[in-house]
Amino acid sequence: MQGATAGQMAEVFIWTLKKYRKTILTICSVMAVAKIMSYSGMISDIAKFLVAAAGPLYPFIAPLIGAIGAFVTGSGTSTCVLFGDLQSETAAALGFHAEWLAAANVMGAGIGKMVCPQGIAIGAGAINAVGSESKILSSVLKYFYFM
């Protein structure tokens, strides 16, 4: 459709793989860790510990769980899938409205995306700043802590 030959498309594809190899490796590595943590029950155990430790103060911890989920998975949607039931069950156990804790989880997920390694790697790749991910993370952390 664009008039590019198969050879030109292959050349661009290989160039893209070479240029973004570190970004691709970072994304794949973090996603693998997220899957391992999810399948092994580590994420659930961390969340359950926070629920037990916080008790009635749990609503203040709910956004933190969302932030951790977004950091680990790289996705606000995945965070909601991972921790949505946990937030609802915890709300029922503590006598809170599930909607409020779900909203806190989503808010935390949005904040957690700021420091998500995949997001930083993709952003660095998009602006031709591959290799400066730690500098980007350190400049974003102050906003993360404020939020």
Side-chain angles (χ1 to χ4, degrees), residues 4 15-16 21 25 32 35 38 45 56 61 70 73 75 93 101 118 123-124 127 133:
W15 174 82
T16 302
R21 67 186 179 277
L25 179 64
K35 290 293 185 185
S38 177
D45 287 344
I61 302 297
T73 66
S75 165
L101 289 186
Q118 295 108 306
I127 62 170
E133 287 85 354

Short mmCIF file of all heavy atoms in Angstrom, two decimals, residues 4 15-16 21 25 32 35 38 45 56 61 70 73 75 93 101 118 123-124 127 133:
data_model
loop_
_atom_site.label_atom_id
_atom_site.label_comp_id
_atom_site.label_asym_id
_atom_site.label_seq_id
_atom_site.Cartn_x
_atom_site.Cartn_y
_atom_site.Cartn_z
N ALA A 4 6.43 0.27 -0.47
CA ALA A 4 7.70 -0.26 0.03
C ALA A 4 7.84 -1.71 -0.43
O ALA A 4 6.88 -2.48 -0.42
CB ALA A 4 7.75 -0.19 1.54
N TRP A 15 16.43 -2.79 11.48
CA TRP A 15 16.96 -1.55 12.06
C TRP A 15 16.24 -1.24 13.37
O TRP A 15 16.87 -0.86 14.36
CB TRP A 15 16.79 -0.40 11.06
CG TRP A 15 17.17 0.94 11.62
CD1 TRP A 15 18.42 1.46 11.71
CD2 TRP A 15 16.29 1.91 12.19
NE1 TRP A 15 18.37 2.70 12.30
CE2 TRP A 15 17.07 3.00 12.61
CE3 TRP A 15 14.91 1.96 12.39
CZ2 TRP A 15 16.53 4.13 13.20
CZ3 TRP A 15 14.37 3.09 12.98
CH2 TRP A 15 15.17 4.16 13.37
N THR A 16 14.91 -1.40 13.38
CA THR A 16 14.12 -1.14 14.58
C THR A 16 14.51 -2.10 15.70
O THR A 16 14.67 -1.68 16.86
CB THR A 16 12.61 -1.27 14.28
OG1 THR A 16 12.28 -0.35 13.23
CG2 THR A 16 11.77 -0.97 15.50
N ARG A 21 16.74 -2.73 20.94
CA ARG A 21 16.97 -4.04 21.57
C ARG A 21 16.96 -3.95 23.09
O ARG A 21 16.42 -4.83 23.75
CB ARG A 21 18.25 -4.67 21.04
CG ARG A 21 19.53 -3.95 21.42
CD ARG A 21 20.76 -4.55 20.74
NE ARG A 21 21.96 -3.84 21.11
CZ ARG A 21 22.38 -2.73 20.56
NH1 ARG A 21 21.70 -2.19 19.58
NH2 ARG A 21 23.49 -2.13 20.97
N LEU A 25 14.26 -5.83 25.43
CA LEU A 25 14.73 -6.72 26.49
C LEU A 25 14.16 -6.31 27.85
O LEU A 25 13.71 -7.15 28.64
CB LEU A 25 16.25 -6.76 26.54
CG LEU A 25 16.87 -7.62 27.62
CD1 LEU A 25 16.52 -9.09 27.38
CD2 LEU A 25 18.38 -7.44 27.65
N ALA A 32 8.04 -10.84 32.22
CA ALA A 32 8.31 -12.19 32.71
C ALA A 32 8.27 -12.22 34.23
O ALA A 32 7.67 -13.12 34.84
CB ALA A 32 9.66 -12.68 32.20
N LYS A 35 4.67 -12.00 35.38
CA LYS A 35 3.96 -13.28 35.22
C LYS A 35 4.38 -14.27 36.30
O LYS A 35 3.54 -14.96 36.88
CB LYS A 35 4.22 -13.86 33.82
CG LYS A 35 3.56 -13.10 32.72
CD LYS A 35 2.06 -13.22 32.83
CE LYS A 35 1.38 -12.55 31.66
NZ LYS A 35 -0.07 -12.54 31.79
N SER A 38 2.81 -13.27 39.54
CA SER A 38 1.38 -13.52 39.53
C SER A 38 1.09 -15.01 39.67
O SER A 38 0.28 -15.42 40.51
CB SER A 38 0.77 -12.99 38.24
OG SER A 38 -0.59 -13.28 38.17
N ASP A 45 0.13 -12.63 47.90
CA ASP A 45 0.65 -12.69 49.27
C ASP A 45 1.05 -11.30 49.78
O ASP A 45 0.79 -10.96 50.94
CB ASP A 45 1.86 -13.63 49.35
CG ASP A 45 1.46 -15.09 49.24
OD1 ASP A 45 0.26 -15.39 49.41
OD2 ASP A 45 2.35 -15.92 48.98
N PRO A 56 -8.31 -1.49 59.53
CA PRO A 56 -9.25 -0.44 59.12
C PRO A 56 -8.60 0.74 58.41
O PRO A 56 -9.28 1.57 57.83
CB PRO A 56 -9.90 -0.01 60.44
CG PRO A 56 -9.02 -0.51 61.51
CD PRO A 56 -8.25 -1.66 60.97
N ILE A 61 -3.94 2.34 52.16
CA ILE A 61 -2.97 1.45 51.53
C ILE A 61 -3.43 1.03 50.13
O ILE A 61 -2.62 0.68 49.28
CB ILE A 61 -2.76 0.19 52.41
CG1 ILE A 61 -2.28 0.57 53.81
CG2 ILE A 61 -1.78 -0.79 51.77
CD1 ILE A 61 -0.94 1.26 53.86
N ALA A 70 0.88 -1.59 39.08
CA ALA A 70 1.25 -0.93 37.83
C ALA A 70 2.75 -0.98 37.61
O ALA A 70 3.22 -1.16 36.48
CB ALA A 70 0.76 0.51 37.82
N THR A 73 3.39 -4.80 36.60
CA THR A 73 2.80 -5.27 35.34
C THR A 73 2.99 -4.30 34.19
O THR A 73 2.96 -4.71 33.03
CB THR A 73 1.29 -5.51 35.49
OG1 THR A 73 0.64 -4.26 35.74
CG2 THR A 73 0.99 -6.49 36.59
N SER A 75 0.82 -2.04 33.49
CA SER A 75 -0.50 -1.78 32.94
C SER A 75 -1.51 -1.49 34.04
O SER A 75 -1.62 -2.25 35.00
CB SER A 75 -0.94 -3.00 32.13
OG SER A 75 -2.31 -2.95 31.85
N ALA A 93 -15.06 -7.11 53.75
CA ALA A 93 -14.61 -7.57 55.07
C ALA A 93 -14.51 -6.43 56.07
O ALA A 93 -14.75 -6.62 57.25
CB ALA A 93 -13.27 -8.26 54.94
N LEU A 101 -12.71 1.58 47.09
CA LEU A 101 -11.41 0.91 47.07
C LEU A 101 -10.99 0.58 45.63
O LEU A 101 -9.80 0.63 45.31
CB LEU A 101 -11.43 -0.35 47.92
CG LEU A 101 -11.49 -0.10 49.43
CD1 LEU A 101 -11.36 -1.40 50.19
CD2 LEU A 101 -10.41 0.87 49.87
N GLN A 118 8.70 -0.50 32.19
CA GLN A 118 8.35 -0.61 30.78
C GLN A 118 8.02 0.74 30.19
O GLN A 118 8.43 1.07 29.08
CB GLN A 118 7.14 -1.54 30.57
CG GLN A 118 7.39 -2.95 30.96
CD GLN A 118 6.66 -3.28 32.23
OE1 GLN A 118 6.80 -2.61 33.23
NE2 GLN A 118 5.88 -4.34 32.21
N GLY A 123 9.33 5.17 26.70
CA GLY A 123 9.49 6.62 26.55
C GLY A 123 10.90 7.00 26.16
O GLY A 123 11.11 7.85 25.27
N ALA A 124 11.88 6.37 26.78
CA ALA A 124 13.28 6.65 26.44
C ALA A 124 13.56 6.26 25.00
O ALA A 124 14.26 7.00 24.27
CB ALA A 124 14.22 5.92 27.39
N ILE A 127 12.10 8.84 22.45
CA ILE A 127 12.78 10.14 22.32
C ILE A 127 14.28 9.99 22.06
O ILE A 127 15.06 10.91 22.29
CB ILE A 127 12.53 11.03 23.55
CG1 ILE A 127 13.09 10.39 24.83
CG2 ILE A 127 11.06 11.36 23.71
CD1 ILE A 127 13.12 11.31 26.04
N GLU A 133 17.51 5.77 31.14
CA GLU A 133 16.32 5.40 31.89
C GLU A 133 16.45 5.74 33.38
O GLU A 133 15.50 6.20 34.00
CB GLU A 133 16.00 3.91 31.72
CG GLU A 133 15.46 3.55 30.35
CD GLU A 133 16.57 3.30 29.32
OE1 GLU A 133 17.76 3.52 29.63
OE2 GLU A 133 16.22 2.89 28.20
#
